[in-house]
Amino acid sequence: MVIPGIYDGRDNTFYFAEYQGFRQVLGTTQVFAVPTAAEHNGIDTTTFPGDTLTVPVNPAIAPLLARYPLPNEPNGPFGARTYATSSKVVTNTDQFSVRVDHRISDQATLFTRFSLNQVNGPTTNPDQTAIDPSFAVNFFDHQRNAAVRYSRTISPHLNFAAAFGYIRSTPIFPTQNPTDPALTYGDGLFEGFNTADGSITGSYSKSIPGQT
């Protein structure tokens, strides 16, 4: 390795570096049930055709109902409550590694390596982002891996080595919007509001092994 005017490590220092990037924007279609314009006001003419049900809307719930999009596909699988739209599921991944080997002397060598892997996405609940983009639950993992190894030949029959390693992993599904309340329907009639559509789990770990 040679850095002009700073360092000349020819025949002593060697390096390797690599980078990989992945970008994906996947178009998907969401179809789910939302309240009709009449149901926003507590008037139901859909459950029992020919009959009208009037249910007072709790003032605390009214603002949440107002944030639902109105149905736009009356012939869809949910009838007059059907809402159909398209959305994007984004996945970004960056991977990077660098390795440096250095010959300190005829008897001693040094090895170092650092690797990085950053994953952001995909969005696991595109139905929810169709209601509000801030409801997205995206997979997230920033991994780090580093290693250092020093080796020394003391004699033709004796060798000494010391190694140090570091591993960090953070696989998690973070909630983007922790302030809006989650709302679900006991009968499953409508798409939930700020719900994860499944389990949200995550873990965080570090490992620092050493060896001599």
Side-chain angles (χ1 to χ4, degrees):
M1 180 175 71
V2 177
I3 303 177
I6 299 177
Y7 176 73
D8 186 350
R10 279 175 287 195
D11 299 327
N12 288 317
T13 305
F14 307 89
Y15 73 94
F16 169 81
E18 63 90 16
Y19 167 81
Q20 299 181 60
F22 176 78
R23 300 292 184 271
Q24 182 185 67
V25 180
L26 180 64
T28 64
T29 300
Q30 277 63 55
V31 180
F32 52 86
V34 297
T36 64
E39 288 169 341
H40 279 243
N41 297 312
I43 301 172
D44 181 6
T45 60
T46 303
T47 302
F48 301 102
D51 194 6
T52 299
L53 299 177
T54 302
V55 180
V57 178
N58 189 313
I61 299 298
L64 303 183
L65 291 176
R67 290 173 61 181
Y68 275 89
L70 292 175
N72 61 2
E73 191 64 45
N75 297 319
F78 302 103
R81 296 188 176 103
T82 304
Y83 177 73
T85 188
S86 61
S87 64
K88 298 177 180 179
V89 177
V90 179
T91 302
N92 295 328
T93 301
D94 294 289
Q95 295 177 315
F96 170 79
S97 293
V98 60
R99 168 175 172 167
V100 177
D101 293 276
H102 180 66
R103 187 172 70 90
I104 301 173
S105 66
D106 292 339
Q107 291 77 35
T109 60
L110 180 67
F111 157 81
T112 62
R113 176 182 52 78
F114 175 78
S115 299
L116 173 151
N117 183 26
Q118 298 195 163
V119 181
N120 293 286
T123 302
T124 62
N125 57 342
D127 283 357
Q128 289 292 296
T129 61
I131 298 174
D132 188 324
S134 72
F135 292 164
V137 175
N138 297 320
F139 177 68
F140 171 94
D141 189 11
H142 285 186
Q143 301 176 7
R144 305 288 187 270
N145 188 309
V148 178
R149 187 173 187 271
Y150 172 79
S151 300
R152 183 176 184 84
T153 301
I154 299 175
S155 72
H157 306 287
L158 180 62
N159 183 70
F160 169 81
F164 171 85
Y166 173 81
I167 301 174
R168 178 177 182 263
S169 181
T170 60
I172 194 171
F173 295 84
T175 301
Q176 305 298 314
N177 186 332
T179 58
D180 277 313
L183 176 67
T184 58
Y185 299 88
D187 55 7
L189 185 62
F190 303 123
E191 174 69 24
F193 183 90
N194 199 12
T195 60
D197 290 351
S199 300
I200 298 179
T201 59
S203 63
Y204 179 85
S205 63
K206 285 185 178 181
S207 178
I208 307 177
Q211 182 180 2
T212 58

